[in-house]
Amino acid sequence: MEGVVVLSLLYWIAAGVVFLISLIQLIIKSSNNKPLKPALRLLIISVIMLVIGVGACAVILGGLGSMH
């Protein structure tokens, strides 16, 4: 059970880091009038990771109640 918690924490940390990097890139590239497509692509990936992570957590937490 501890392995699931550790993997969940690592996943959320990775999703947060990807989101922060994409926001920083978006701000820097927009202020320098550079193309925003790579930063927007990274932002979309982080949002997809967020949705998948929330769904996975819901499934894991829903399965914990039936283990008793």
Short mmCIF file of all heavy atoms in Angstrom, two decimals:
data_model
loop_
_atom_site.label_atom_id
_atom_site.label_comp_id
_atom_site.label_asym_id
_atom_site.label_seq_id
_atom_site.Cartn_x
_atom_site.Cartn_y
_atom_site.Cartn_z
N MET A 1 0.82 -1.19 0.00
CA MET A 1 0.00 0.00 0.00
C MET A 1 0.86 1.26 0.00
O MET A 1 0.48 2.25 -0.60
CB MET A 1 -0.92 -0.06 1.23
CG MET A 1 -1.97 0.98 1.21
SD MET A 1 -3.04 0.66 -0.18
CE MET A 1 -3.98 2.11 -0.21
N GLU A 2 2.02 1.21 0.67
CA GLU A 2 2.87 2.39 0.72
C GLU A 2 3.41 2.73 -0.66
O GLU A 2 3.67 3.89 -0.97
CB GLU A 2 4.05 2.18 1.68
CG GLU A 2 3.65 1.98 3.12
CD GLU A 2 3.37 0.52 3.44
OE1 GLU A 2 3.85 -0.36 2.70
OE2 GLU A 2 2.68 0.25 4.42
N GLY A 3 3.59 1.71 -1.50
CA GLY A 3 4.10 1.95 -2.85
C GLY A 3 3.15 2.79 -3.68
O GLY A 3 3.57 3.64 -4.45
N VAL A 4 1.84 2.57 -3.49
CA VAL A 4 0.84 3.35 -4.22
C VAL A 4 0.88 4.80 -3.79
O VAL A 4 0.78 5.71 -4.62
CB VAL A 4 -0.57 2.74 -4.00
CG1 VAL A 4 -1.64 3.61 -4.60
CG2 VAL A 4 -0.64 1.34 -4.56
N VAL A 5 1.06 5.03 -2.51
CA VAL A 5 1.12 6.40 -1.99
C VAL A 5 2.35 7.11 -2.52
O VAL A 5 2.27 8.27 -2.96
CB VAL A 5 1.10 6.39 -0.44
CG1 VAL A 5 1.32 7.79 0.10
CG2 VAL A 5 -0.19 5.80 0.07
N VAL A 6 3.48 6.43 -2.53
CA VAL A 6 4.72 7.04 -3.02
C VAL A 6 4.60 7.35 -4.51
O VAL A 6 4.96 8.45 -4.96
CB VAL A 6 5.93 6.11 -2.76
CG1 VAL A 6 7.17 6.61 -3.45
CG2 VAL A 6 6.17 5.97 -1.27
N LEU A 7 4.06 6.41 -5.28
CA LEU A 7 3.88 6.66 -6.71
C LEU A 7 2.90 7.78 -6.97
O LEU A 7 3.10 8.59 -7.89
CB LEU A 7 3.43 5.37 -7.41
CG LEU A 7 4.47 4.29 -7.56
CD1 LEU A 7 3.86 3.04 -8.19
CD2 LEU A 7 5.64 4.77 -8.40
N SER A 8 1.86 7.87 -6.17
CA SER A 8 0.89 8.96 -6.33
C SER A 8 1.54 10.30 -6.06
O SER A 8 1.33 11.27 -6.79
CB SER A 8 -0.31 8.76 -5.39
OG SER A 8 -1.02 7.62 -5.74
N LEU A 9 2.32 10.36 -4.99
CA LEU A 9 3.02 11.61 -4.67
C LEU A 9 4.00 12.01 -5.77
O LEU A 9 4.08 13.19 -6.15
CB LEU A 9 3.74 11.50 -3.33
CG LEU A 9 2.86 11.50 -2.10
CD1 LEU A 9 3.69 11.24 -0.85
CD2 LEU A 9 2.12 12.81 -1.98
N LEU A 10 4.75 11.03 -6.27
CA LEU A 10 5.69 11.32 -7.35
C LEU A 10 4.96 11.82 -8.60
O LEU A 10 5.42 12.74 -9.28
CB LEU A 10 6.52 10.09 -7.68
CG LEU A 10 7.57 9.69 -6.66
CD1 LEU A 10 8.24 8.38 -7.06
CD2 LEU A 10 8.60 10.79 -6.51
N TYR A 11 3.80 11.22 -8.90
CA TYR A 11 3.02 11.63 -10.06
C TYR A 11 2.53 13.07 -9.91
O TYR A 11 2.63 13.87 -10.83
CB TYR A 11 1.83 10.69 -10.25
CG TYR A 11 1.01 11.01 -11.47
CD1 TYR A 11 1.38 10.51 -12.71
CD2 TYR A 11 -0.12 11.82 -11.39
CE1 TYR A 11 0.65 10.81 -13.83
CE2 TYR A 11 -0.86 12.11 -12.51
CZ TYR A 11 -0.47 11.60 -13.73
OH TYR A 11 -1.20 11.90 -14.84
N TRP A 12 2.00 13.40 -8.72
CA TRP A 12 1.51 14.76 -8.51
C TRP A 12 2.64 15.78 -8.52
O TRP A 12 2.47 16.91 -9.00
CB TRP A 12 0.72 14.84 -7.20
CG TRP A 12 -0.64 14.22 -7.35
CD1 TRP A 12 -1.06 13.07 -6.76
CD2 TRP A 12 -1.72 14.67 -8.16
NE1 TRP A 12 -2.35 12.80 -7.15
CE2 TRP A 12 -2.77 13.76 -8.00
CE3 TRP A 12 -1.90 15.76 -9.00
CZ2 TRP A 12 -3.99 13.91 -8.66
CZ3 TRP A 12 -3.11 15.91 -9.65
CH2 TRP A 12 -4.14 15.00 -9.48
N ILE A 13 3.80 15.41 -8.01
CA ILE A 13 4.96 16.32 -8.06
C ILE A 13 5.36 16.54 -9.50
O ILE A 13 5.63 17.68 -9.92
CB ILE A 13 6.12 15.76 -7.21
CG1 ILE A 13 5.77 15.83 -5.73
CG2 ILE A 13 7.41 16.49 -7.50
CD1 ILE A 13 6.73 15.11 -4.82
N ALA A 14 5.41 15.47 -10.30
CA ALA A 14 5.77 15.60 -11.71
C ALA A 14 4.75 16.46 -12.46
O ALA A 14 5.13 17.32 -13.27
CB ALA A 14 5.87 14.22 -12.36
N ALA A 15 3.47 16.25 -12.19
CA ALA A 15 2.43 17.06 -12.85
C ALA A 15 2.56 18.53 -12.47
O ALA A 15 2.42 19.42 -13.31
CB ALA A 15 1.05 16.54 -12.49
N GLY A 16 2.85 18.79 -11.21
CA GLY A 16 3.04 20.17 -10.76
C GLY A 16 4.25 20.83 -11.38
O GLY A 16 4.21 22.00 -11.77
N VAL A 17 5.35 20.09 -11.49
CA VAL A 17 6.57 20.63 -12.10
C VAL A 17 6.33 20.94 -13.58
O VAL A 17 6.73 22.01 -14.06
CB VAL A 17 7.74 19.65 -11.91
CG1 VAL A 17 8.92 20.03 -12.77
CG2 VAL A 17 8.15 19.59 -10.45
N VAL A 18 5.67 20.04 -14.29
CA VAL A 18 5.37 20.28 -15.71
C VAL A 18 4.48 21.50 -15.86
O VAL A 18 4.70 22.34 -16.75
CB VAL A 18 4.72 19.03 -16.35
CG1 VAL A 18 4.19 19.33 -17.74
CG2 VAL A 18 5.71 17.89 -16.41
N PHE A 19 3.50 21.66 -14.97
CA PHE A 19 2.61 22.81 -15.04
C PHE A 19 3.37 24.11 -14.78
O PHE A 19 3.19 25.09 -15.51
CB PHE A 19 1.47 22.65 -14.03
CG PHE A 19 0.47 23.76 -14.07
CD1 PHE A 19 -0.43 23.86 -15.11
CD2 PHE A 19 0.43 24.70 -13.06
CE1 PHE A 19 -1.36 24.89 -15.15
CE2 PHE A 19 -0.50 25.73 -13.08
CZ PHE A 19 -1.39 25.83 -14.13
N LEU A 20 4.22 24.12 -13.76
CA LEU A 20 4.98 25.33 -13.45
C LEU A 20 5.96 25.69 -14.57
O LEU A 20 6.10 26.88 -14.93
CB LEU A 20 5.75 25.15 -12.14
CG LEU A 20 4.91 25.21 -10.87
CD1 LEU A 20 5.77 24.91 -9.66
CD2 LEU A 20 4.24 26.56 -10.73
N ILE A 21 6.61 24.69 -15.14
CA ILE A 21 7.54 24.96 -16.25
C ILE A 21 6.79 25.53 -17.44
O ILE A 21 7.26 26.47 -18.09
CB ILE A 21 8.31 23.67 -16.63
CG1 ILE A 21 9.30 23.32 -15.53
CG2 ILE A 21 9.03 23.83 -17.96
CD1 ILE A 21 9.98 21.99 -15.71
N SER A 22 5.61 24.99 -17.71
CA SER A 22 4.84 25.50 -18.85
C SER A 22 4.38 26.93 -18.62
O SER A 22 4.42 27.75 -19.54
CB SER A 22 3.64 24.60 -19.14
OG SER A 22 2.70 24.65 -18.09
N LEU A 23 3.99 27.26 -17.40
CA LEU A 23 3.59 28.64 -17.11
C LEU A 23 4.77 29.60 -17.23
O LEU A 23 4.64 30.70 -17.79
CB LEU A 23 2.99 28.74 -15.72
CG LEU A 23 1.56 28.25 -15.55
CD1 LEU A 23 1.11 28.42 -14.11
CD2 LEU A 23 0.63 28.99 -16.48
N ILE A 24 5.92 29.20 -16.73
CA ILE A 24 7.11 30.04 -16.82
C ILE A 24 7.50 30.26 -18.27
O ILE A 24 7.79 31.38 -18.69
CB ILE A 24 8.26 29.44 -15.99
CG1 ILE A 24 7.93 29.51 -14.50
CG2 ILE A 24 9.57 30.15 -16.29
CD1 ILE A 24 8.87 28.72 -13.62
N GLN A 25 7.48 29.18 -19.06
CA GLN A 25 7.81 29.30 -20.48
C GLN A 25 6.81 30.20 -21.19
O GLN A 25 7.19 31.02 -22.03
CB GLN A 25 7.81 27.93 -21.17
CG GLN A 25 9.05 27.15 -20.98
CD GLN A 25 9.04 25.88 -21.83
OE1 GLN A 25 8.07 25.58 -22.52
NE2 GLN A 25 10.13 25.14 -21.78
N LEU A 26 5.54 30.07 -20.85
CA LEU A 26 4.51 30.88 -21.48
C LEU A 26 4.72 32.36 -21.20
O LEU A 26 4.63 33.19 -22.11
CB LEU A 26 3.14 30.43 -20.98
CG LEU A 26 1.93 30.86 -21.75
CD1 LEU A 26 1.96 30.29 -23.16
CD2 LEU A 26 0.67 30.40 -21.04
N ILE A 27 5.05 32.69 -19.97
CA ILE A 27 5.29 34.09 -19.60
C ILE A 27 6.53 34.63 -20.29
O ILE A 27 6.52 35.74 -20.86
CB ILE A 27 5.40 34.22 -18.07
CG1 ILE A 27 4.04 33.94 -17.43
CG2 ILE A 27 5.90 35.60 -17.67
CD1 ILE A 27 4.09 33.76 -15.93
N ILE A 28 7.62 33.88 -20.25
CA ILE A 28 8.88 34.34 -20.84
C ILE A 28 8.75 34.49 -22.35
O ILE A 28 9.16 35.50 -22.93
CB ILE A 28 10.03 33.40 -20.47
CG1 ILE A 28 10.34 33.51 -18.97
CG2 ILE A 28 11.28 33.71 -21.29
CD1 ILE A 28 11.33 32.50 -18.47
N LYS A 29 8.16 33.49 -23.02
CA LYS A 29 8.06 33.55 -24.47
C LYS A 29 7.09 34.62 -24.94
O LYS A 29 7.30 35.24 -25.97
CB LYS A 29 7.67 32.18 -25.03
CG LYS A 29 8.80 31.19 -24.91
CD LYS A 29 8.46 29.87 -25.53
CE LYS A 29 9.64 28.95 -25.33
NZ LYS A 29 9.88 28.08 -26.43
N SER A 30 6.04 34.87 -24.17
CA SER A 30 5.10 35.92 -24.58
C SER A 30 5.71 37.30 -24.38
O SER A 30 5.43 38.21 -25.16
CB SER A 30 3.79 35.80 -23.80
OG SER A 30 3.99 36.06 -22.44
N SER A 31 6.56 37.46 -23.39
CA SER A 31 7.20 38.77 -23.19
C SER A 31 8.30 39.02 -24.21
O SER A 31 8.61 40.17 -24.51
CB SER A 31 7.76 38.88 -21.77
OG SER A 31 8.82 37.97 -21.59
N ASN A 32 8.88 37.96 -24.77
CA ASN A 32 9.93 38.10 -25.78
C ASN A 32 9.40 37.97 -27.20
O ASN A 32 10.19 37.93 -28.15
CB ASN A 32 11.02 37.05 -25.56
CG ASN A 32 11.80 37.30 -24.29
OD1 ASN A 32 11.87 38.41 -23.80
ND2 ASN A 32 12.37 36.25 -23.73
N ASN A 33 8.09 37.92 -27.37
CA ASN A 33 7.45 37.77 -28.68
C ASN A 33 7.97 36.57 -29.45
O ASN A 33 8.21 36.63 -30.65
CB ASN A 33 7.62 39.05 -29.52
CG ASN A 33 6.84 40.20 -28.94
OD1 ASN A 33 5.79 40.01 -28.35
ND2 ASN A 33 7.38 41.39 -29.09
N LYS A 34 8.15 35.46 -28.76
CA LYS A 34 8.57 34.21 -29.39
C LYS A 34 7.34 33.31 -29.55
O LYS A 34 6.31 33.54 -28.92
CB LYS A 34 9.63 33.51 -28.54
CG LYS A 34 10.95 34.25 -28.53
CD LYS A 34 12.01 33.45 -27.84
CE LYS A 34 13.33 34.18 -27.91
NZ LYS A 34 14.41 33.43 -27.28
N PRO A 35 7.44 32.27 -30.38
CA PRO A 35 6.29 31.36 -30.57
C PRO A 35 5.88 30.68 -29.27
O PRO A 35 6.72 30.22 -28.49
CB PRO A 35 6.80 30.33 -31.58
CG PRO A 35 8.02 30.92 -32.18
CD PRO A 35 8.56 31.93 -31.23
N LEU A 36 4.58 30.61 -29.04
CA LEU A 36 4.05 30.06 -27.80
C LEU A 36 3.65 28.60 -27.91
O LEU A 36 3.24 27.99 -26.93
CB LEU A 36 2.84 30.88 -27.35
CG LEU A 36 3.08 32.36 -27.06
CD1 LEU A 36 1.78 33.03 -26.70
CD2 LEU A 36 4.10 32.53 -25.97
N LYS A 37 3.74 28.03 -29.11
CA LYS A 37 3.25 26.67 -29.32
C LYS A 37 3.89 25.63 -28.40
O LYS A 37 3.18 24.81 -27.81
CB LYS A 37 3.43 26.28 -30.78
CG LYS A 37 2.72 25.01 -31.15
CD LYS A 37 2.78 24.76 -32.64
CE LYS A 37 2.00 23.51 -32.99
NZ LYS A 37 2.00 23.26 -34.42
N PRO A 38 5.22 25.62 -28.20
CA PRO A 38 5.79 24.61 -27.28
C PRO A 38 5.29 24.77 -25.84
O PRO A 38 5.02 23.78 -25.17
CB PRO A 38 7.29 24.86 -27.36
CG PRO A 38 7.51 25.56 -28.66
CD PRO A 38 6.27 26.37 -28.89
N ALA A 39 5.17 26.00 -25.38
CA ALA A 39 4.70 26.23 -24.02
C ALA A 39 3.23 25.83 -23.87
O ALA A 39 2.84 25.24 -22.86
CB ALA A 39 4.88 27.69 -23.63
N LEU A 40 2.43 26.11 -24.88
CA LEU A 40 1.02 25.73 -24.84
C LEU A 40 0.86 24.22 -24.90
O LEU A 40 -0.01 23.65 -24.24
CB LEU A 40 0.25 26.39 -25.98
CG LEU A 40 0.06 27.90 -25.85
CD1 LEU A 40 -0.57 28.46 -27.11
CD2 LEU A 40 -0.77 28.23 -24.63
N ARG A 41 1.71 23.56 -25.68
CA ARG A 41 1.67 22.10 -25.76
C ARG A 41 1.99 21.49 -24.39
O ARG A 41 1.34 20.54 -23.95
CB ARG A 41 2.66 21.61 -26.81
CG ARG A 41 2.58 20.12 -27.04
CD ARG A 41 3.51 19.68 -28.14
NE ARG A 41 3.10 20.27 -29.41
CZ ARG A 41 3.92 20.53 -30.41
NH1 ARG A 41 5.20 20.26 -30.30
NH2 ARG A 41 3.48 21.05 -31.52
N LEU A 42 2.99 22.04 -23.71
CA LEU A 42 3.35 21.56 -22.38
C LEU A 42 2.23 21.82 -21.38
O LEU A 42 1.96 20.99 -20.51
CB LEU A 42 4.65 22.24 -21.93
CG LEU A 42 5.47 21.58 -20.86
CD1 LEU A 42 5.86 20.18 -21.28
CD2 LEU A 42 6.71 22.40 -20.59
N LEU A 43 1.55 22.95 -21.51
CA LEU A 43 0.43 23.27 -20.64
C LEU A 43 -0.71 22.28 -20.84
O LEU A 43 -1.32 21.80 -19.88
CB LEU A 43 -0.04 24.70 -20.89
CG LEU A 43 -1.12 25.23 -19.96
CD1 LEU A 43 -0.60 25.32 -18.55
CD2 LEU A 43 -1.61 26.57 -20.44
N ILE A 44 -0.99 21.93 -22.09
CA ILE A 44 -2.04 20.95 -22.38
C ILE A 44 -1.67 19.58 -21.81
O ILE A 44 -2.52 18.89 -21.24
CB ILE A 44 -2.30 20.87 -23.90
CG1 ILE A 44 -2.96 22.17 -24.36
CG2 ILE A 44 -3.15 19.67 -24.26
CD1 ILE A 44 -3.05 22.32 -25.86
N ILE A 45 -0.41 19.21 -21.93
CA ILE A 45 0.05 17.93 -21.36
C ILE A 45 -0.15 17.91 -19.85
O ILE A 45 -0.59 16.92 -19.27
CB ILE A 45 1.52 17.67 -21.73
CG1 ILE A 45 1.63 17.35 -23.22
CG2 ILE A 45 2.12 16.54 -20.90
CD1 ILE A 45 3.04 17.30 -23.74
N SER A 46 0.16 19.03 -19.18
CA SER A 46 0.00 19.07 -17.72
C SER A 46 -1.47 19.00 -17.32
O SER A 46 -1.80 18.37 -16.31
CB SER A 46 0.66 20.31 -17.15
OG SER A 46 -0.03 21.48 -17.52
N VAL A 47 -2.35 19.60 -18.10
CA VAL A 47 -3.78 19.51 -17.79
C VAL A 47 -4.27 18.08 -17.98
O VAL A 47 -5.06 17.57 -17.18
CB VAL A 47 -4.58 20.51 -18.65
CG1 VAL A 47 -6.06 20.26 -18.55
CG2 VAL A 47 -4.25 21.94 -18.25
N ILE A 48 -3.81 17.41 -19.03
CA ILE A 48 -4.18 16.01 -19.24
C ILE A 48 -3.67 15.15 -18.09
O ILE A 48 -4.37 14.26 -17.60
CB ILE A 48 -3.65 15.52 -20.61
CG1 ILE A 48 -4.41 16.20 -21.73
CG2 ILE A 48 -3.75 14.00 -20.73
CD1 ILE A 48 -3.83 15.96 -23.11
N MET A 49 -2.44 15.42 -17.63
CA MET A 49 -1.90 14.68 -16.48
C MET A 49 -2.76 14.91 -15.24
O MET A 49 -2.99 13.99 -14.45
CB MET A 49 -0.46 15.10 -16.19
CG MET A 49 0.54 14.58 -17.18
SD MET A 49 2.22 15.17 -16.85
CE MET A 49 2.61 14.28 -15.36
N LEU A 50 -3.24 16.14 -15.07
CA LEU A 50 -4.09 16.46 -13.93
C LEU A 50 -5.39 15.66 -13.99
O LEU A 50 -5.80 15.06 -12.99
CB LEU A 50 -4.40 17.96 -13.91
CG LEU A 50 -5.35 18.44 -12.84
CD1 LEU A 50 -4.66 18.41 -11.49
CD2 LEU A 50 -5.86 19.81 -13.15
N VAL A 51 -6.02 15.60 -15.15
CA VAL A 51 -7.28 14.87 -15.30
C VAL A 51 -7.08 13.38 -15.06
O VAL A 51 -7.87 12.73 -14.35
CB VAL A 51 -7.89 15.14 -16.69
CG1 VAL A 51 -9.06 14.21 -16.97
CG2 VAL A 51 -8.31 16.59 -16.82
N ILE A 52 -6.01 12.83 -15.63
CA ILE A 52 -5.73 11.40 -15.43
C ILE A 52 -5.43 11.11 -13.96
O ILE A 52 -5.89 10.11 -13.40
CB ILE A 52 -4.56 10.96 -16.32
CG1 ILE A 52 -5.00 10.98 -17.79
CG2 ILE A 52 -4.06 9.56 -15.93
CD1 ILE A 52 -3.87 10.74 -18.77
N GLY A 53 -4.68 11.99 -13.31
CA GLY A 53 -4.35 11.80 -11.90
C GLY A 53 -5.56 11.85 -11.00
O GLY A 53 -5.69 11.05 -10.06
N VAL A 54 -6.48 12.77 -11.27
CA VAL A 54 -7.70 12.86 -10.46
C VAL A 54 -8.54 11.60 -10.64
O VAL A 54 -9.06 11.05 -9.67
CB VAL A 54 -8.49 14.13 -10.84
CG1 VAL A 54 -9.89 14.10 -10.25
CG2 VAL A 54 -7.76 15.37 -10.39
N GLY A 55 -8.65 11.13 -11.87
CA GLY A 55 -9.40 9.89 -12.12
C GLY A 55 -8.78 8.70 -11.44
O GLY A 55 -9.47 7.87 -10.84
N ALA A 56 -7.47 8.60 -11.49
CA ALA A 56 -6.77 7.48 -10.84
C ALA A 56 -6.94 7.53 -9.33
O ALA A 56 -7.15 6.49 -8.68
CB ALA A 56 -5.30 7.48 -11.22
N CYS A 57 -6.85 8.71 -8.76
CA CYS A 57 -7.04 8.84 -7.31
C CYS A 57 -8.45 8.45 -6.90
O CYS A 57 -8.65 7.82 -5.87
CB CYS A 57 -6.73 10.26 -6.85
SG CYS A 57 -4.98 10.60 -6.73
N ALA A 58 -9.44 8.83 -7.73
CA ALA A 58 -10.82 8.48 -7.42
C ALA A 58 -11.00 6.96 -7.45
O ALA A 58 -11.68 6.39 -6.59
CB ALA A 58 -11.76 9.15 -8.42
N VAL A 59 -10.39 6.30 -8.43
CA VAL A 59 -10.50 4.84 -8.51
C VAL A 59 -9.80 4.18 -7.33
O VAL A 59 -10.33 3.24 -6.73
CB VAL A 59 -9.90 4.34 -9.85
CG1 VAL A 59 -9.75 2.83 -9.85
CG2 VAL A 59 -10.76 4.79 -11.01
N ILE A 60 -8.62 4.67 -6.98
CA ILE A 60 -7.87 4.08 -5.86
C ILE A 60 -8.64 4.28 -4.55
O ILE A 60 -8.79 3.35 -3.76
CB ILE A 60 -6.46 4.69 -5.77
CG1 ILE A 60 -5.61 4.21 -6.94
CG2 ILE A 60 -5.79 4.32 -4.45
CD1 ILE A 60 -4.29 4.93 -7.06
N LEU A 61 -9.13 5.50 -4.32
CA LEU A 61 -9.86 5.75 -3.08
C LEU A 61 -11.18 5.01 -3.04
O LEU A 61 -11.63 4.59 -1.99
CB LEU A 61 -10.08 7.26 -2.91
CG LEU A 61 -8.83 8.07 -2.62
CD1 LEU A 61 -9.16 9.55 -2.60
CD2 LEU A 61 -8.20 7.64 -1.31
N GLY A 62 -11.81 4.84 -4.20
CA GLY A 62 -13.05 4.07 -4.25
C GLY A 62 -12.80 2.60 -3.96
O GLY A 62 -13.64 1.93 -3.36
N GLY A 63 -11.66 2.08 -4.35
CA GLY A 63 -11.33 0.69 -4.10
C GLY A 63 -10.87 0.42 -2.68
O GLY A 63 -10.93 -0.70 -2.20
N LEU A 64 -10.45 1.46 -1.97
CA LEU A 64 -9.98 1.27 -0.60
C LEU A 64 -11.12 0.90 0.34
O LEU A 64 -10.93 0.14 1.29
CB LEU A 64 -9.28 2.53 -0.09
CG LEU A 64 -7.92 2.84 -0.69
CD1 LEU A 64 -7.38 4.14 -0.12
CD2 LEU A 64 -6.95 1.72 -0.43
N GLY A 65 -12.31 1.42 0.09
CA GLY A 65 -13.44 1.14 0.97
C GLY A 65 -13.88 -0.31 0.86
O GLY A 65 -14.43 -0.85 1.83
N SER A 66 -13.65 -0.97 -0.25
CA SER A 66 -14.12 -2.34 -0.42
C SER A 66 -13.11 -3.36 0.10
O SER A 66 -13.37 -4.55 0.06
CB SER A 66 -14.39 -2.60 -1.90
OG SER A 66 -13.19 -2.50 -2.65
N MET A 67 -11.97 -2.94 0.61
CA MET A 67 -10.94 -3.86 1.08
C MET A 67 -11.23 -4.37 2.48
O MET A 67 -10.60 -5.31 2.94
CB MET A 67 -9.57 -3.20 1.06
CG MET A 67 -9.05 -2.89 -0.31
SD MET A 67 -7.43 -2.18 -0.21
CE MET A 67 -6.57 -3.17 -1.40
N HIS A 68 -12.14 -3.76 3.19
CA HIS A 68 -12.41 -4.15 4.59
C HIS A 68 -13.12 -5.44 4.67
O HIS A 68 -13.91 -5.97 4.20
CB HIS A 68 -13.16 -3.06 5.33
CG HIS A 68 -12.34 -1.82 5.46
ND1 HIS A 68 -11.38 -1.67 6.42
CD2 HIS A 68 -12.33 -0.68 4.75
CE1 HIS A 68 -10.83 -0.48 6.30
NE2 HIS A 68 -11.39 0.13 5.28
#
